[in-house]
Amino acid sequence: MFAAFVAFYGRNPLEVFGLMLQGGFGSSFAWQDTLSRAAPLILVGLAVAIPAQAGLVIIGGEGALVAGGLAAAIVTLPFTGSPALPMQLAMLAAGALIGAGWFGIAGALRQFRGLNETISSLLLSYIALAVFHHLTEGPLRDPASLDKPSTHPINTQYMLPVIPGIDVHIGLAISVMLAVLAYAILRYTHWGFALRVVGGSSRVAKMVGLAVNRWVIGATAIGGAMAGLAGAIEIAAVQGTANTSLIVGYGNSGILVAFLARHHPLAIIPIACLIGGMQASGGLLQRRLELPDATILVFQGLIFVCVLVGDAIAQKLNESKRS
């Protein structure tokens, strides 16, 4: 389908796929770009996958990400001159806490008001984006940011370090470790088992004595913490200030990552690298073939549609076999 799309625009599909491979994985620089993009994708993928264990479909990762990034951008401003490590931890903690609170609202609305969490998380994402624009263009704007409204830049010594040998920020290591930790907890602990029971049937969970409200809201809060942490890492490792460069669609791409990985925390890691490589190749496609950056978004959209259609067909076939 994507080959037909690019062919319609007069481009050779094989050349397009070759440039995507080259732009995402064809050199050390390409790998650095890919892995830098994979770090937030892993975390936002976890933000979808963890609540999914409780039977929830959360798609508002973009909102929690920008809220967490904004919190990280401003939390250190009153403490200029403080030691670097406490400030770096403060940025990461602020992003995670704000993201947890933002997703927690969706969980609370579901449990106490009966509002669908997919709709509420999406609407909350729009609210977060509106608040972000208002604050970065108004009360929190750095007067020196003329063309692109931004918050005051964080102290350069507070920026996160890079991983030796690969020149990718340490956020990649943090995201991979959290994915491994999430897998271990969900697979080998009673917390993970209890969460799956809640996701399987809230009625059964109540019968065995589980506090369903607490587990659902807790799962959404942990998922939000992952998305908020992704935003904080982008600010503390890449951007250095909060502006529209933070809003590049990581939250939406994270949904695709989680669905392709079937909400498996370990599978999220290679899938995030694949999607990150696709996104990293967008600039090369634009330079070589004059294709717009949105070309990659079209490809991602087609993949997502095919996944949803495939799942629907598989479900229908299973139902017909049972009947």
Side-chain angles (χ1 to χ4, degrees):
M1 291 170 63
F2 182 69
F5 171 78
V6 296
F8 178 78
Y9 280 91
R11 304 296 187 272
N12 184 342
L14 293 178
E15 185 179 6
V16 171
F17 286 123
L19 288 175
M20 289 177 62
L21 185 62
Q22 180 183 346
F25 310 100
S27 66
S28 59
F29 177 80
W31 269 105
Q32 289 171 8
D33 193 8
T34 294
L35 293 176
S36 294
R37 294 170 185 267
L41 290 175
I42 292 171
L43 291 172
V44 182
L46 291 174
V48 178
I50 292 174
Q53 306 300 317
L56 307 175
V57 181
I58 300 288
I59 61 173
E62 192 80 1
L65 184 146
V66 299
L70 181 61
I74 64 178
V75 71
T76 65
L77 296 181
F79 306 103
T80 302
S82 300
L85 181 59
M87 293 297 98
Q88 292 167 346
L89 295 176
M91 286 189 289
L92 299 181
L97 287 173
I98 293 298
W102 203 256
F103 264 24
I105 295 173
L109 288 173
R110 180 187 191 275
Q111 293 305 110
F112 299 121
R113 304 300 299 175
L115 185 62
N116 182 277
E117 75 282 356
T118 306
I119 296 174
S120 63
S121 64
L122 179 61
L123 295 179
L124 283 168
S125 182
Y126 284 113
I127 294 173
L129 291 171
V131 171
F132 179 87
H133 286 300
H134 170 71
L135 293 177
T136 56
E137 296 174 10
L140 299 179
R141 179 175 180 174
D142 178 11
S145 59
L146 301 177
D147 296 332
K148 180 182 287 188
S150 308
T151 59
H152 290 269
I154 64 175
N155 194 315
T156 55
Q157 67 175 341
Y158 299 160
M159 297 291 287
L160 295 180
V162 299
I163 303 173
I166 62 174
D167 290 331
V168 178
H169 60 76
I170 201 171
L172 176 65
I174 295 173
S175 61
V176 170
M177 287 189 293
L178 287 174
V180 174
L181 180 62
Y183 169 75
I185 291 175
L186 293 173
R187 177 67 176 82
Y188 296 109
T189 70
H190 70 276
W191 295 305
F193 178 74
L195 195 60
R196 291 194 297 274
V197 172
V198 171
S201 171
S202 59
R203 183 178 178 182
V204 172
K206 290 178 180 177
M207 290 175 61
V208 298
L210 293 175
V212 174
N213 289 346
R214 188 183 306 168
W215 282 100
V216 168
I217 296 174
T220 55
I222 293 173
M226 297 296 105
L229 183 60
I233 289 174
E234 277 297 292
I235 292 296
V238 180
Q239 306 294 342
T241 183
N243 54 48
T244 54
S245 296
L246 183 63
I247 310 172
V248 293
Y250 284 134
N252 299 325
S253 298
I255 303 170
L256 176 60
V257 169
F259 272 75
L260 286 177
R262 292 296 188 261
H263 305 305
H264 192 295
L266 294 185
I268 283 174
I269 299 172
I271 296 295
C273 292
L274 176 63
I275 300 299
M278 289 170 51
Q279 294 179 350
S281 67
L284 187 61
L285 291 178
Q286 189 175 36
R287 292 192 302 273
R288 296 281 186 87
L289 300 179
E290 298 182 353
L291 289 171
D293 285 340
T295 303
I296 298 299
L297 296 180
V298 171
F299 194 14
Q300 290 184 194
L302 289 173
I303 294 172
F304 197 37
V305 169
C306 290
V307 169
L308 295 178
V309 171
D311 286 346
I313 293 174
Q315 183 178 2
K316 201 157 194 173
L317 290 175
N318 289 333
E319 290 174 355
S320 64
K321 288 179 180 178
R322 293 194 190 103
S323 61

